[in-house]
Amino acid sequence: MLNNLEIKLKKGKINFDGILLFLCKECEAHLQMDVLPKQAAATLQAYLTKNREFFKVGKIANLTYVEGKNLQQIFVVGCGEGKECTSQNFRKNAGEVARFIQKQGVKNILLYAPILNNPVRGKHLQAIVEGMYLGVYDFSEFKTALKKKDVITFNIQTTIKDAADIIKKATIIAESVCFARNLINRPGNVVYPEIMANFAKQVAKENKLKIEILDEKKLLAKKMNAICAVGQGSVHKPRMIVLKYNGNGKAPYTAYVGKGITFDSGGISIKPTDGMGEMKDDMSGAADVLATIRAVAQLKLKVNLLVVLACAENMPGGNAQRPGDIVKAANGKTIEVITTDAEGRMVLADAVWYACELGATKVVDIATLTGAAIIALGRETAAIVANNDELAQKVIDAGKAVGESYWQLPTFEEYHELIKSPVADLKNSGGRSGGTITGGLFIGEFIKKGVQWVHLDIGGTSFVDRTHGFKPQGGSAFGVMTLIKLGEN
Ligand code: BES
Ligand code: MN
Ligand code: ZN
């Protein structure tokens, strides 16, 4: 059970008070009306005959029929026609309809879709289960007067052979995404670097993962001055957290590295008041990679994965770093601090270096790095900056399969010029133009030669401003499903 939903396979006869039907235009021909009670079939038939628009993507029809003394409900969700009948649409529609049903007072539902009687459509089943669990997610742990929600059970009718395994897999993935969403949505007074380390310890313990936690003393001993510079203005000192999952013998490790700024005030280059509270989500990348390794371990994927969480709080204060400071990162390169608000790339400088140090041959970093990513691509698509086009394409393909979209930005030589400093090796801001690209390229300067690297800027996608599809308002944990899929591939 997750978010008060229970999704299970229908075995034998069940009593239900509602029917949920996913239907695309082509599916209509495969509708087996005998699966449904007589009155339900008649009601549905009458509706479908009269409403030829029923299959429009995302359209939800709420029909009722009488059986004995009871008023029963049918929910029909349109899943499009032809090419629109995709897992991505199923995931979105499942999220919408699950939220809708939650408000209707029904508790025990028969879930039926003709497509789920097609043995090769396991992907669609997975998408439906993920979409429903994720769509009804809500963050309410700080509401003290909340009524307990009723549990709603969905009983899935399908002939897909490995349906039980698929449902289990989808559940692990959805749980992991919700784990990340909870971390992201918790405010900065509750989640700070030390607390991130506690959550990481818990994940390590539950999944038998190796863990290393570097506190400020250990970070300074390893000359990771960049992450320490960012954290020095806060009473909550930084932590670099590493977890390791060994699922593929002696093969080389891939590293997922997450930006973990538990609150980004901007530091001395302080941000304007408007919307500053949203910056509690600036540890989305770190939450995402922690959730990913949790899922990868539980799915027992045959990969070697290490994750690095680069956690610090960016605050102004008497000991805070200042614009003009020059800091030497762990790889020996010096950084001129143009603005203390470009802190993400500084913590990641040391973190990606450390991932390379630990022997990773591929590094994917994920970060709410720039507001410019919102300007460039909006709130549905994340930006990619990479030194290896094949690995970038693999991320894009993995994202496509799970309903998360990416767009790769160019890395021409001219952009590199923008982050050279007159007084140090690099400066931490190349100015407003091309901000997402130069932010990414800065991180690339700390990747060891020969290591494949992809940077994901989720500045636009980490926070959902209006509830839709499988994304309720708040932290989205965008990227978790992509990174799991990438591990699978
Ligand atoms: N965490 C922010 C980026 C951000 C801002 C993401 C708003 C989503 C919404 C990051 O640390 C930051 O402040 N970036 C600066 C970089 C600039 C100073 C070079 C930005 O985007 O303005
Ligand atoms: Mn910032
Ligand atoms: Zn930030």
Side-chain angles (χ1 to χ4, degrees), residues 334-392:
T334 52
I335 304 165
E336 180 192 6
V337 179
I338 300 296
T339 159
T340 63
D341 200 11
E343 83 297 338
R345 63 201 71 183
M346 291 182 70
V347 300
L348 287 169
D350 284 339
V352 299
W353 168 83
Y354 195 49
C356 295
E357 253 329 87
L358 293 172
T361 55
K362 294 188 176 91
V363 174
V364 179
D365 81 74
I366 176 162
T368 46
L369 204 77
T370 64
I374 311 175
I375 307 302
L377 299 172
R379 291 210 167 261
E380 289 293 324
T381 304
I384 291 185
V385 173
N387 71 3
N388 183 287
D389 291 343
E390 284 85 66
L391 187 57

Side-chain angles (χ1 to χ4, degrees), residues 279-330:
M279 283 299 116
K280 69 174 182 177
D281 84 349
D282 214 20
M283 32 57 78
S284 290
D288 291 348
V289 300
L290 182 59
T292 299
I293 200 165
R294 174 196 185 277
V296 165
Q298 293 191 6
L299 294 170
K300 301 191 174 67
L301 298 187
K302 289 195 172 50
V303 291
N304 288 340
L305 177 67
L306 66 91
V307 299
V308 183
L309 288 67
C311 300
E313 187 182 42
N314 189 22
M315 294 292 260
N319 195 41
Q321 67 169 340
R322 357 163 157 57
D325 282 5
I326 297 175
V327 180
K328 192 176 209 156

Side-chain angles (χ1 to χ4, degrees), residues 256-279:
Y256 293 162
V257 180
K259 169 176 172 181
I261 301 298
T262 56
F263 182 68
D264 180 14
S265 67
I268 294 298
S269 315
I270 199 161
K271 287 181 182 293
T273 324
D274 260 9
M276 200 204 271
E278 203 184 292
M279 283 299 116

Side-chain angles (χ1 to χ4, degrees), residues 121-253:
R121 297 309 177 102
K123 268 197 321 199
H124 290 46
L125 174 60
Q126 189 183 329
I128 287 175
V129 175
E130 288 169 1
M132 290 204 294
Y133 278 138
L134 296 177
V136 298
Y137 169 85
D138 80 329
F139 180 66
S140 51
E141 65 183 43
F142 290 93
K143 299 251 191 202
T144 58
L146 204 70
K147 233 178 46 203
K148 240 187 120 190
K149 273 193 194 143
D150 289 326
V151 174
I152 304 178
T153 305
F154 288 90
N155 304 276
I156 299 184
Q157 163 106 28
T158 174
T159 54
I160 293 170
K161 268 210 212 73
D162 47 350
D165 290 340
I166 292 171
I167 293 173
K168 189 165 167 221
K169 180 176 169 187
T171 308
I172 291 173
I173 292 173
E175 275 169 0
S176 300
V177 172
C178 293
F179 170 81
R181 284 180 180 176
N182 280 338
L183 271 178
I184 296 165
N185 286 327
R186 289 184 189 120
N189 63 332
V190 175
V191 173
Y192 40 89
E194 188 189 340
I195 304 296
M196 290 292 284
N198 290 346
F199 278 106
K201 274 185 214 163
Q202 193 190 325
V203 168
K205 197 171 162 204
E206 283 170 8
N207 299 286
K208 301 193 179 67
L209 304 172
K210 280 201 194 122
I211 183 168
E212 180 187 28
I213 297 170
L214 304 173
D215 60 11
E216 195 184 34
K217 215 173 120 200
K218 288 181 182 156
L219 288 169
L220 289 171
K222 289 189 191 294
K223 302 194 167 68
M224 296 204 235
N225 301 317
I227 184 172
C228 291
V230 170
Q232 74 191 29
S234 169
V235 291
H236 299 301
K237 294 304 169 201
R239 297 284 188 282
M240 182 95 73
I241 305 155
V242 182
L243 293 98
K244 258 186 177 181
Y245 166 74
N246 182 266
N248 191 21
K250 291 204 162 18
Y253 275 80

